[in-house]
Amino acid sequence: MSDGSVGLLRKCGISLSNGAGKLKTEADNFPLEIFFLRDDDIPDYVADGVADIGIVGENVLVENPRPVETIEKLGFGRCRLSIAVEKGAMYRDSNDLAGKRIATSYPNILSRFLDSKGVSANIHKITGSVEIAPSIGLADAVCDLVSSGSTLFTNGLREVERVMSSEAVLIASNDLCDAAGALLDKLVFRLRSVKAASQNKYILLNAPREKVGSIASILPGMRSPTVTPLAEKGWVSMQSVISEHEFWNVVDELRAAGAEGILVVAIDQMIV
Ligand code: AMP
């Protein structure tokens, strides 16, 4: 999370003093002081006003809700909180968890999930190395964060229930002073531009002039596509922005409509 957070701030043009291993650093070109803290502690520091804003996984906030405001989902640190059982264990549905011992660092979320399914199980709260609990006889199942799934796999576990999805979020103290509030607005504006850029691509293509109308109707763009003439008579270059999600479908439609020489370029910043 800290690498992702620092990387995101850098993309927002905020350059941090190179303090590898330091727990506190300052931005060189933005009035921001950064504390590197344990994720579980971050909501408390923000709620207590020790820090004005924080970046933390949603999972931490949902487990221990604090009086802080969630400002923005940040699109990194994506993971899921899942229940896993030993690879060979029989599992049909959540009823198979009844009476079982489940090890987790997220007892509140797990307990709400089990209640919602009407299942009664024994929750064992442990703070780390949750995945080894079944192999050392401490539990029958685990409820832990999963990203790639390789930790579960290497510990002989199989994911059977997805309890919640999570990603990094920006949180803020409920009583920011005006100056800090103004800085937060500035930061959020930059974060949204970086996020919009990462969710969109810049597309350039060549097309016969008579196809401009049909191709323009496929390219949503920010307003409408730019059309410039090519040196070759009767041909134009068209440029626009397309969403990452619909990218391949749009490219297929463009080719069918007569587009050629399609180039797709990553966008660094997108001012929205
Ligand atoms: P993976 O092997 O990629 O599925 O990662 C699983 C391990 O990384 C588990 O020990 C998780 O507790 C931890 N983990 C994965 N994603 C996150 C996250 N977004 N925040 C905190 N811990 C995570």
Side-chain angles (χ1 to χ4, degrees):
M1 289 291 272
S2 93
D3 286 349
S5 306
V6 168
L8 185 60
L9 292 174
R10 291 211 164 109
K11 281 189 189 162
C12 289
I14 297 173
S15 97
L16 306 178
S17 314
N18 202 0
K22 278 203 328 198
L23 298 180
K24 201 169 105 173
T25 187
E26 273 178 35
D28 299 327
N29 56 355
F30 198 89
L32 193 67
E33 190 180 18
I34 296 163
F35 309 140
F36 295 91
L37 303 168
R38 268 182 56 89
D39 58 352
D40 289 344
D41 298 334
I42 290 173
D44 284 330
Y45 282 120
V46 174
D48 296 346
V50 175
D52 292 317
I53 59 176
I55 295 178
V56 69
E58 276 174 303
N59 51 295
V60 174
L61 278 181
V62 176
E63 176 65 18
N64 280 316
R66 311 291 303 144
V68 295
E69 195 183 344
T70 300
I71 307 289
E72 189 81 8
K73 291 194 180 213
L74 296 176
F76 71 92
R78 288 208 170 94
C79 61
R80 51 201 189 268
L81 183 67
S82 292
I83 297 176
V85 298
E86 285 188 289
K87 221 175 281 171
M90 204 255 307
Y91 189 90
R92 288 157 305 192
D93 59 34
S94 53
N95 290 316
D96 286 331
L97 295 169
K100 296 285 193 306
R101 298 163 303 160
I102 311 177
T104 188
S105 307
Y106 297 89
N108 296 331
I109 301 177
L110 175 59
S111 150
R112 284 197 293 270
F113 174 80
L114 293 172
D115 286 350
S116 76
K117 300 281 180 191
V119 171
S120 168
N122 302 312
I123 298 176
H124 285 251
K125 183 179 177 191
I126 52 178
T127 51
S129 307
V130 173
E131 293 93 344
I132 61 162
S135 65
I136 59 174
L138 198 67
D140 305 300
V142 300
C143 175
D144 199 14
L145 297 178
V146 182
S147 178
S148 65
S150 71
T151 307
L152 289 185
F153 182 80
T154 49
N155 284 285
L157 298 171
R158 176 166 63 101
E159 194 174 351
V160 291
E161 297 285 346
R162 186 176 289 208
V163 177
M164 75 169 278
S165 299
S166 175
E167 67 181 88
V169 289
L170 180 71
I171 56 172
S173 155
N174 282 332
D175 37 35
L176 285 185
C177 67
D178 289 350
L183 278 176
L184 175 60
D185 289 346
K186 216 167 154 178
L187 180 64
V188 169
F189 173 75
R190 294 191 191 189
L191 287 169
R192 288 186 181 151
S193 302
V194 170
K195 197 156 122 191
S198 74
Q199 290 169 346
N200 289 279
K201 302 252 182 232
Y202 192 68
I203 185 164
L204 302 99
L205 57 90
N206 295 332
R209 185 174 285 284
E210 70 272 15
K211 299 281 174 67
V212 167
S214 51
I215 291 180
S217 67
I218 301 167
L219 287 175
M222 290 176 82
R223 189 176 296 271
S224 72
T226 307
V227 182
T228 44
L230 290 188
E232 186 178 335
K233 206 160 175 268
W235 281 77
V236 294
S237 164
M238 297 181 70
Q239 294 141 46
S240 190
V241 171
I242 56 174
S243 146
E244 173 105 324
H245 304 297
E246 50 190 11
F247 167 69
W248 284 111
N249 289 338
V250 170
V251 167
D252 288 343
E253 285 182 52
L254 290 171
R255 291 176 66 223
E260 291 181 13
I262 302 174
L263 295 179
V264 179
V265 185
I267 299 173
D268 210 29
Q269 307 285 344
M270 186 164 154
I271 310 303
V272 282

